[in-house]
Amino acid sequence: MTNHWIDLKNSDCILMMGSNPAENHPISFKWVMRAKEAGATLIHVDPRFTRTTTKCDIFTRIRSGSDIAVLGGLIKYILDNDLYFKDYVLNYTNAAFIVGKDYTFKDGLFAGFDEKALSYDRSKWAFELDENGVPKRDLTLKDPRCVMQVMKQHYDRYTLDNVSRIAGTPKEDLVKFYKAYAATGKPDKAGTIMYAMGWTQHSVGVQNIRAMCLVQLLLGNMGVAGGGVNALRGESNVQGSTDQGLLYHILPGYIGTPEAKWQTLEEYNKANTPVTKDPMSVNWWQNRPKYFASLLKSMWLDDEPATAYSFLPKLESSSAAKYSWLVLFDEMLKGSFKGFFAWGMNPACSGANAEKTREALSKLDWMVNVNIFENETGSFWKGPGMDPAQIKTEVFFLPCAVSIEKEGSITNSGRLMQWRYAGPKPLGDTKPDGDIIYELMNAIRGLYKEYGGAYPDPILKLNWDIASDHAFDPHKVAKLINGFYTKDVTIGDKTYKKGDQVAAFPALQADGSTCSGNWVYCGSYTADGNKAAKRDKTQTEMQERIGLYPNWAWAWPVNRRIIYNRASVDKTGKPFAPEKPVIAWEGGKWVGDVVDGGGDPGAKHPFIMTKDGFGQLFGPGRVDGPLPEYYEPLECPVDKHPFSSRLHNPTALQFAAEQKAVCDPRYPFVGTTYRVTEHWQTGLMTRNTPWLIEAEPQIFCELSPDLAKVRGIGNGDKVIVESQRGKIWAMAIVTPRIKPFTVMGQLVHQVGLPWHYGWSFPKDGGDSANILTPAVGDPNTGIPETKAFMVNVTKA
Amino acid sequence: MNVLRRQFLKLAGVAAAATAFGGLGFDLKPTTAHAQLLKLSWAKQTTSVCCYCSVGCGLLVHTAKEGSGRAINVEGDPDHPINEGSLCAKGASIWQLGENDKRVLTPMYRAAYSDKWEPKSWEWMLETIAKRVKDVRDQTFETKNAKGQIVNRTMGLASVGSAALDNEECWIYQSMLRALGLVFIEHQARI
Amino acid sequence: MSGKTFFIDLTKCTACRGCQVACKQWHKLPAEATKQLGTHQNPQDLSFTTYKLVRFKEIEDKGGGLRWLFFPEQCRHCVEPPCKAVADGYDERAIIRDELTGAVIYTEFTKALKDLEPTELCPFNIPRKDSVSGIWGKCDMCLDRVHNGLKPACVQSCPTGAMNFGERDDMLALAEKSLEAAKKRFPKAEMANVDDVRVVVLCAYPPADYYEFLMADAGPNVAPMTRKAMLAMLTRPFRQS
């Protein structure tokens, strides 16, 4: 989230699209309802009428996967009707940038497409630069190659007719939504988006979100109270686990994982440190070498950063097609791995094409499975269709403590890092994950120390001072993540002693004199103590107006609660929305939230994380195009795109063996997956909880009364849902909350299932809906397309 | 007598008892919760944050100071500015996640081709896993790639997990995995 | 007499079921074995171990409108509880009323009522009998919490302001204000059974749309509470039972 949960109350219009917050982030609705009580319009755009819809003023029903068509229509509506926030667009976005002559867009393809490699040469999308290397701008916005004009031309095809035909949505329902949301283009009005996996789990996942970024930038909704682009993250610490780099492509603090082509730290820094000659551009990533050196130092405290760099494994490429989730399980199926850790995860139910995942587990020599409960992954060898006598995989199940039994911090969707304390001791012989990791690595280090082995240096030299009294110490690690001085240093007139905590990331150094396990968390545990544990609700009158609570816990970065807040004021530091100011320049200083970028009003461009400092309407960084373009999901009910000849995202992540149903009469219905309030993820932590399984005891399939009639299915009947990949049973919920769509003149039925169930428990609960979902994904991130696929439904 | 009572008693077809009972000293025995509240005064109170979705709702956890030493109540923290004491169905059930007889309480091992789990000691498990890790790493470690570039990576091991860990645990987990040379490192955020 | 009152604003309920589970958590009530029967509502009904139940109902209107209605159901803690009137005929210790709050409390002596049906005790069809012990059970207003200055578990858990609890006058004032606000969006909004119970329910639509027992059948002549009647009620003294 660029903003935070409480900030929802400040919004004038809340768009919930690709999400179902009343069900999946129920307490967010405390703040959504506060906004509504203050007069905000609530909009739900979704294939289904859900508990969220019941509280909304506008419900626009769209077919699963048609989001970019619908959002493209909104962009066109805003541009056609001149509803954008002109000063903001001109001064704070790249609308005036001139796109280079090589850029073209023809019939669904951007310039630079390689039909053989199915990828783009992104240099064709570059901006025109002046003699200093700064992008040229046309402040009249009239140049036919300026971003505004390129964008207008691109979305010209997203007519109400086209959008309505492909999304299956009546035009009047689209206009109602467009009109209400576009009204937030006024300077003092804020609109916000609450999105979740309904947008990300698509072969165009990143571009779904990009499309909304365009809308928010056009309407001046970034950086303001009640605005922003707000991802409702699905797990209590998935923000934190991402921040800490538990992904193949990033190290802690969003430092890209080194690739083989950068053999030294110097080469890495040269290739990964953006340079700008615009003095108004903060270009924050110019500091990357300081953050990376401090990270390397935190891991290998006794080595120089350049040496520590050589300890890190190098990727061949950071492409999602190389190491991401779906590739990992594809490699596992091929027998590429001998050992595997499934730590606090249940991939046998959570991954797309679950049967493929389950089969892949049988190719391992051994697996370590850390969990609270027995689960479909650790026990895959006794699952449906498995013969234990034929399965070689050794499994080590390690039982861990639950959250209320341990101490440490987690980071919520609003980037708020909050400390938890231990209540009861871990039950039985269970251990906190931290102790398991600590003790396991001790055992591995012991073996390398005694016997040597392949390249032991990174293991033996690793900073493993993370315990006190032989137990994992979360405070020690939290201090290391914040960072400290590794030697006595004098900076200006201040001297810092070796071991002193670093106060904030501007103090981090590239020479190894500081360590910091994660620069974005630098400032969280300082000489002032553990800020994640703060419980102080005091705030200034200005902060109170928008519910900022700056002294409750701590948010990254530098306790800034609303990111890009510099875009909430004009060039004199005056808030666009005087009633809901985030920051303001008063008496020669900034007040309110922690300002982005620093300096006097008007001195810096507000989008400090981009090289040029402007919000990117035209975004040349994504692998599948600089502007979001509508493509059908890889499994879809139509064989023709309504306004180009490219049916699918040409760069989507795909696997040769993965069959896809496109207009396949065997799988005539659009399927989607989702969550319910009473369960969570693969259901392991809720199926085993009696009060929750009581409320939602079995897998269900929601379908419309029309489809039920066609298939002779009664409410509460058992049905079989089948896709190209497998089939499962489910209990039918026949409900008018689901309705068929008219798509390109054809009647298209939609059905949906929750993915919370698994064969291990309860016995009559059903199995994972991911048995149905395709292992195909977004080309930028590799996220699987589990929100739109094709199925058949029959009475069991 | 009010409308409701009059109407109902007529409908129910029973005679109204004349005496309204005025609370003359009966104990309120049926409330099992009464006993629980007494227990709370013997409890340690700690704060925590909900482990389910990412709203970050504050919790109050009450743990018995004597006897079982177990949690006896978990509810929303009224002082917390985000949830102000409220919790959804999942958050409200957290007590039952901890005090749950389906939790596995000891390490379990499944041998190759076996059809059952066997309990094992932590010591045996961690030592055996450490040996397996070292064997695979030593066998599958790549110093250089096909182009001759130094890559220092372990190709025979992969990891998924976990957003269920605390920040500090995530950090040391990535530190361990990268020191071991893993490149196949993924978790919930990808999917 | 004043005492405590719940105010349930159905225009705000999202059926997150925090209340349903928080009730079980506080009282440590066991879960029931349930099945998916074609509705998200589960358990299907109140029971000796389910005091609080969120009822779900879908209504399709002529003209294509769709309403999905939620009703977090519980004992209404009647001002003059009919169940007590009935029970006193069997054993005066069976059902008692807490003076301080007005809570209607069932004791183990309710086993004297073993031959009755719920609707013979209650116009809202609330109490349920344990088939083994014959004891009756239902919402106890979290009396132990309330006596110690805490809100009932269901109220504390509610995120949206659907469940409210406090001094009766405060709750009636809140109810009145909420009704006025609700009327802007739901012209037919009404209050169910304000006078007679300690659980005042604001309904966006006719109460029977939610659940047949939402409002006790007080006869055809009793009109829904109008704003004027509501004001009149607020200003008059609360009757002693």
Side-chain angles (χ1 to χ4, degrees):
Chain A
M1 289 171 102
T2 57
N3 295 43
H4 60 97
W5 296 109
I6 297 171
D7 181 65
L8 292 167
K9 82 183 173 91
N10 298 316
S11 195
D12 297 295
C13 186
I14 300 180
L15 172 60
M16 293 165 264
M17 184 168 175
S19 72
N20 179 9
E23 299 196 39
N24 300 330
H25 300 83
I27 308 305
S28 73
F29 246 67
K30 175 189 284 289
W31 302 105
V32 172
M33 292 300 280
R34 298 264 170 104
K36 186 182 164 85
E37 284 155 29
T41 305
L42 308 187
I43 305 172
H44 195 211
V45 181
D46 203 89
R48 283 193 306 150
F49 186 111
T50 68
R51 290 181 235 186
T52 294
T53 323
T54 65
K55 298 292 162 287
C56 288
D57 303 287
I58 296 170
F59 174 48
T60 298
R61 191 190 294 271
I62 66 167
R63 171 172 59 99
S64 283
S66 63
D67 303 71
I68 291 178
V70 173
L71 291 172
L74 173 57
I75 294 167
K76 180 173 165 59
Y77 182 89
I78 293 166
L79 295 174
D80 283 356
N81 296 290
D82 234 13
L83 296 169
Y84 56 93
F85 181 177
K86 298 196 180 52
D87 285 352
Y88 188 104
V89 167
L90 192 65
N91 295 317
Y92 294 166
T93 78
N94 66 11
F97 284 29
I98 309 294
V99 178
K101 288 196 177 73
D102 287 348
Y103 173 78
T104 56
F105 175 79
K106 278 186 208 137
D107 194 25
L109 281 181
F110 297 92
F113 188 65
D114 178 341
E115 283 282 1
K116 228 169 121 195
L118 298 177
S119 67
Y120 284 105
D121 170 5
R122 282 179 274 174
S123 68
K124 306 283 185 208
W125 312 337
F127 296 116
E128 261 183 32
L129 307 177
D130 68 13
E131 60 283 6
N132 289 319
V134 176
K136 284 187 192 164
R137 295 169 74 199
D138 168 31
L139 295 179
T140 69
L141 300 181
K142 288 199 175 122
D143 188 307
R145 282 193 290 112
C146 81
V147 166
M148 177 57 87
Q149 295 303 328
V150 168
M151 196 168 51
K152 273 189 174 163
Q153 199 191 345
H154 188 89
Y155 292 105
D156 199 44
R157 301 162 302 138
Y158 290 66
T159 60
L160 278 178
D161 275 332
N162 276 340
V163 175
S164 168
R165 281 170 66 221
I166 198 68
T169 309
K171 281 187 250 182
E172 57 272 23
D173 289 0
L174 290 168
V175 172
K176 224 188 288 175
F177 153 41
Y178 293 168
K179 193 174 171 190
Y181 200 77
T184 65
K186 296 191 182 72
D188 62 345
K189 294 288 177 202
T192 191
I193 169 66
M194 298 170 77
Y195 78 89
M197 310 315 275
W199 267 1
T200 57
Q201 289 176 340
H202 290 281
S203 54
V204 291
V206 169
Q207 298 290 359
N208 278 333
I209 295 146
R210 279 272 304 139
M212 192 65 203
C213 292
L214 265 60
V215 170
Q216 291 298 71
L217 287 171
L218 286 171
L219 298 174
N221 282 333
M222 295 305 296
V224 304
V229 171
N230 296 303
L232 315 184
R233 307 217 57 174
E235 308 217 6
S236 61
N237 197 37
V238 75
Q239 184 61 55
S241 57
T242 305
D243 300 337
Q244 311 310 341
L246 278 173
L247 292 163
Y248 82 86
H249 72 297
I250 46 169
L251 305 177
Y254 303 90
I255 308 279
T257 309
E259 296 179 30
K261 63 187 172 199
W262 306 310
Q263 286 281 287
T264 65
L265 179 57
E266 202 184 338
E267 285 169 18
Y268 177 95
N269 282 337
K270 200 174 164 203
N272 291 286
T273 309
V275 178
T276 172
K277 285 188 183 157
D278 181 349
M280 286 179 66
S281 179
V282 174
N283 181 27
W284 201 269
W285 281 115
Q286 68 176 299
N287 298 304
R288 195 190 309 257
K290 297 175 190 170
Y291 305 151
F292 194 14
S294 298
L295 166 62
L296 288 164
K297 203 70 188 162
S298 71
M299 289 176 68
W300 290 283
L301 197 54
D302 298 328
D303 290 278
E304 290 308 311
T307 311
Y309 180 79
S310 64
F311 294 160
L312 276 177
K314 310 293 182 297
L315 307 178
E316 276 311 289
S317 120
S318 58
S319 159
K322 199 72 190 168
Y323 306 101
S324 68
W325 179 278
L326 293 175
V327 181
L328 188 159
F329 284 98
D330 198 56
E331 289 291 327
M332 189 184 289
L333 187 65
K334 290 184 201 154
S336 301
F337 306 123
K338 293 175 186 295
F340 176 59
F341 291 92
W343 200 303
M345 275 204 85
N346 188 14
C349 286
S350 60
N353 197 347
E355 297 282 25
K356 177 180 173 181
T357 307
R358 293 171 187 189
E359 193 191 340
L361 296 171
S362 71
K363 310 290 182 191
L364 296 164
D365 286 354
W366 54 266
M367 165 180 16
V368 174
N369 181 216
V370 184
N371 218 308
I372 302 168
F373 298 106
E374 183 176 3
N375 59 78
E376 290 76 13
T377 299
S379 294
F380 81 95
W381 45 272
K382 56 173 170 170
M386 296 282 176
D387 175 5
Q390 303 298 316
I391 295 169
K392 64 174 176 176
T393 315
E394 263 184 309
V395 185
F396 300 88
F397 181 91
L398 305 177
C400 59
V402 299
S403 57
I404 61 169
E405 294 169 342
K406 62 184 188 180
E407 185 172 2
S409 73
I410 58 172
T411 304
N412 80 357
S413 213
R415 299 164 285 101
L416 190 70
M417 178 197 193
Q418 302 192 87
W419 199 258
R420 303 196 283 206
Y421 296 92
K425 289 193 176 68
L427 189 64
D429 269 341
T430 65
K431 286 177 192 270
D433 297 274
D435 287 281
I436 303 174
I437 298 162
Y438 174 64
E439 291 172 27
L440 175 60
M441 191 59 172
N442 282 347
I444 295 169
R445 279 156 64 93
L447 291 175
Y448 273 94
K449 199 170 172 191
E450 197 171 339
Y451 304 107
Y455 198 42
D457 287 9
I459 298 171
L460 294 177
K461 293 181 165 186
L462 185 69
N463 174 20
W464 207 238
D465 181 15
I466 57 168
S468 301
D469 296 330
H470 309 290
F472 166 69
D473 181 350
H475 288 275
K476 219 171 197 177
V477 178
K479 287 180 185 171
L480 179 64
I481 290 173
N482 177 86
F484 50 80
Y485 291 89
T486 62
K487 50 180 147 188
D488 295 357
V489 198
T490 303
I491 299 166
D493 57 353
K494 278 198 98 173
T495 299
Y496 301 93
K497 290 268 178 228
K498 179 180 176 180
D500 283 355
Q501 290 298 106
V502 175
F505 53 66
L508 295 176
Q509 304 297 322
D511 62 0
S513 61
T514 55
C515 73
S516 170
N518 189 337
W519 71 275
V520 300
Y521 283 78
C522 191
S524 62
Y525 207 132
T526 67
D528 298 333
N530 179 7
K531 295 186 186 167
K534 284 182 74 179
R535 288 174 62 88
D536 176 355
K537 282 160 81 172
T538 56
Q539 38 188 347
T540 64
E541 190 270 333
M542 177 181 171
Q543 292 164 341
E544 195 181 346
R545 250 197 258 180
I546 60 166
L548 205 65
Y549 292 105
N551 299 304
W552 183 274
W554 185 87
W556 71 257
V558 290
N559 205 29
R560 182 174 298 130
R561 304 292 166 126
I562 296 179
I563 299 187
Y564 301 123
N565 56 31
R566 209 182 181 103
S568 71
V569 295
D570 67 15
K571 292 198 159 191
T572 68
K574 211 170 100 229
F576 291 126
E579 297 301 312
K580 297 173 196 167
V582 182
I583 55 166
W585 182 257
E586 281 175 14
K589 62 174 184 155
W590 291 105
V591 291
D593 197 6
V594 179
V595 68
D596 248 313
D600 289 357
K604 303 286 175 196
H605 301 313
F607 289 90
I608 64 169
M609 301 311 288
T610 64
K611 187 177 87 169
D612 301 311
F614 292 83
Q616 300 193 38
L617 292 168
F618 188 90
R622 305 279 71 81
V623 305
D624 47 355
L627 290 170
E629 167 69 357
Y630 180 65
Y631 301 109
E632 278 290 315
L634 296 191
E635 290 205 328
C636 62
V638 299
D639 59 1
K640 249 184 84 192
H641 190 290
F643 44 88
S644 92
S645 56
R646 285 279 161 177
L647 187 58
H648 305 298
N649 184 344
T651 61
L653 176 61
Q654 302 196 49
F655 299 85
E658 189 79 32
Q659 301 284 312
K660 288 156 305 254
V662 174
C663 272
D664 184 332
R666 293 172 302 166
Y667 308 106
F669 312 134
V670 178
T672 192
T673 61
Y674 41 79
R675 304 192 338 196
V676 295
T677 311
E678 298 76 10
H679 286 293
W680 190 66
Q681 311 298 64
T682 69
L684 206 62
M685 283 164 65
T686 52
R687 281 185 262 140
N688 285 293
T689 304
W691 294 326
L692 298 174
I693 201 71
E694 172 192 58
E696 289 284 2
Q698 293 176 300
I699 189 169
F700 56 83
C701 175
E702 289 182 315
L703 65 154
S704 72
D706 305 82
L707 178 56
K709 205 170 160 194
V710 171
R711 284 289 193 254
I713 294 164
N715 193 31
D717 282 354
K718 194 177 219 180
V719 296
I720 300 293
V721 188
E722 187 169 8
S723 80
Q724 190 75 253
R725 285 150 290 279
K727 62 179 174 184
I728 56 173
W729 66 261
M731 306 310 293
I733 296 183
V734 178
T735 170
R737 295 181 295 99
I738 308 278
K739 284 190 164 46
F741 297 94
T742 304
V743 179
M744 310 281 274
Q746 301 281 321
L747 191 73
V748 174
H749 288 284
Q750 167 107 38
V751 303
L753 312 89
W755 61 284
H756 302 301
Y757 297 87
W759 57 266
S760 76
F761 189 81
K763 290 296 169 206
D764 60 353
D767 209 340
S768 175
N770 275 318
I771 287 172
L772 306 172
T773 58
V776 296
D778 179 279
N780 296 283
T781 62
I783 195 169
E785 186 157 66
T786 50
K787 286 291 174 272
F789 52 93
M790 299 303 291
V791 296
N792 191 19
V793 182
T794 49
K795 193 170 169 175
Chain B
M1 188 184 276
N2 67 17
V3 173
L4 173 63
R5 189 169 181 238
R6 191 169 58 237
Q7 292 278 339
F8 174 71
L9 293 178
K10 202 170 79 192
L11 289 171
V14 291
T19 50
F21 186 75
L24 296 172
F26 288 110
D27 286 341
L28 302 177
K29 276 181 187 164
T31 55
T32 50
H34 183 63
Q36 193 188 23
L37 196 81
L38 287 176
K39 269 196 227 158
L40 290 192
S41 55
W42 298 98
K44 167 180 88 168
Q45 179 175 295
T46 50
T47 57
S48 188
V49 175
C50 181
C51 60
Y52 291 107
C53 86
S54 61
V55 174
C57 297
L59 305 173
L60 294 178
V61 179
H62 296 102
T63 305
K65 280 185 190 156
E66 288 169 15
S68 68
R70 299 307 306 163
I72 52 177
N73 180 56
V74 180
E75 63 183 60
D77 178 355
D79 289 333
H80 197 283
I82 297 176
N83 63 312
E84 299 176 323
S86 58
L87 291 175
C88 72
K90 288 190 294 294
S93 75
I94 284 179
W95 175 83
Q96 208 174 43
L97 179 70
E99 309 304 322
N100 187 306
D101 61 11
K102 294 194 88 275
R103 283 180 68 178
V104 183
L105 298 182
T106 189
M108 303 294 275
Y109 173 69
R110 186 260 176 181
Y113 307 110
S114 167
D115 62 356
K116 63 177 190 303
W117 289 109
E118 312 162 45
K120 293 278 184 188
S121 71
W122 274 104
E123 202 180 17
W124 183 89
M125 291 289 265
L126 293 175
E127 279 174 10
T128 311
I129 296 165
K131 278 184 210 151
R132 300 282 190 280
V133 169
K134 183 171 187 301
D135 285 351
V136 175
R137 183 177 181 274
D138 289 352
Q139 287 164 32
T140 67
F141 194 78
E142 281 181 10
T143 306
K144 288 184 179 173
N145 66 5
K147 292 180 195 157
Q149 294 161 325
I150 294 170
V151 292
N152 287 337
R153 63 193 179 202
T154 301
M155 299 305 283
L157 292 174
S159 167
V160 297
S162 174
L165 307 188
D166 291 353
N167 282 314
E168 297 73 26
E169 295 171 332
C170 288
W171 194 89
I172 62 162
Y173 189 53
Q174 75 81 33
S175 190
M176 172 177 90
L177 296 175
R178 290 192 160 109
L180 292 172
L182 269 75
V183 284
F184 284 97
I185 299 172
E186 287 284 73
H187 85 283
Q188 285 94 335
R190 182 74 61 198
I191 55 173
Chain C
M1 133 124 190
S2 51
K4 303 288 186 185
T5 287
F6 291 83
F7 167 53
I8 305 184
D9 184 347
L10 297 184
T11 68
K12 292 184 180 169
C13 178
T14 58
C16 75
R17 293 197 268 200
C19 56
Q20 185 175 315
V21 175
C23 175
K24 293 219 164 189
Q25 198 277 151
W26 180 255
H27 295 95
K28 298 294 180 283
L29 292 167
E32 301 180 37
T34 55
K35 294 276 175 216
Q36 172 51 260
L37 298 172
T39 169
H40 290 282
Q41 181 183 313
N42 251 322
Q44 293 302 302
D45 196 8
L46 295 169
S47 76
F48 185 68
T49 55
T50 301
Y51 300 165
K52 179 92 183 173
L53 173 69
V54 180
R55 293 191 180 271
F56 290 63
K57 193 163 165 200
E58 290 167 357
I59 298 179
E60 267 187 294
D61 298 313
K62 283 174 203 153
L66 175 62
R67 290 178 285 151
W68 197 12
L69 305 179
F70 312 127
F71 171 43
E73 187 190 26
Q74 63 176 86
C75 169
R76 309 301 201 284
H77 296 280
C78 297
V79 174
E80 292 181 44
C83 61
K84 177 165 172 50
V86 176
D88 284 352
Y90 293 80
D91 185 335
E92 290 193 353
R93 299 167 301 174
I95 298 174
I96 58 180
R97 216 164 49 88
D98 178 57
E99 280 299 281
L100 190 70
T101 59
V104 177
I105 302 296
Y106 281 30
T107 74
E108 74 263 38
F109 301 108
T110 50
K111 63 184 165 214
L113 314 174
K114 60 179 180 292
D115 298 330
L116 297 178
E117 290 299 318
T119 47
E120 291 177 292
L121 275 170
C122 173
F124 300 100
N125 190 19
I126 295 291
R128 295 290 182 271
K129 185 171 58 182
D130 178 24
S131 60
V132 179
S133 66
I135 296 173
W136 291 74
K138 59 145 197 92
C139 163
D140 61 5
M141 202 190 265
C142 287
L143 197 60
D144 49 356
R145 293 177 63 95
V146 174
H147 278 194
N148 286 279
L150 299 172
K151 287 178 185 168
C154 58
V155 176
Q156 168 149 325
S157 74
C158 181
T160 58
M163 294 291 307
N164 303 274
F165 182 81
E167 294 302 321
R168 182 166 179 91
D169 292 348
D170 295 343
M171 286 300 110
L172 293 181
L174 176 64
E176 202 250 336
K177 209 175 112 195
S178 304
L179 177 62
E180 206 173 322
K183 287 247 184 199
K184 287 179 197 141
R185 204 162 162 243
F186 307 104
K188 289 186 174 171
E190 64 177 271
M191 216 64 85
N193 297 115
V194 177
D195 245 359
D196 314 320
V197 295
R198 292 185 180 277
V199 180
V200 177
V201 185
L202 166 54
C203 306
Y205 304 102
D209 282 5
Y210 293 84
Y211 176 51
E212 58 175 317
F213 289 103
L214 192 154
M215 189 146 101
D217 182 5
N221 298 326
V222 181
M225 179 95 9
T226 61
R227 185 163 173 268
K228 201 173 144 205
M230 179 91 197
L231 282 169
M233 182 214 35
L234 279 172
T235 52
R236 72 175 174 247
F238 209 94
R239 280 166 301 188
Q240 292 288 334
S241 57

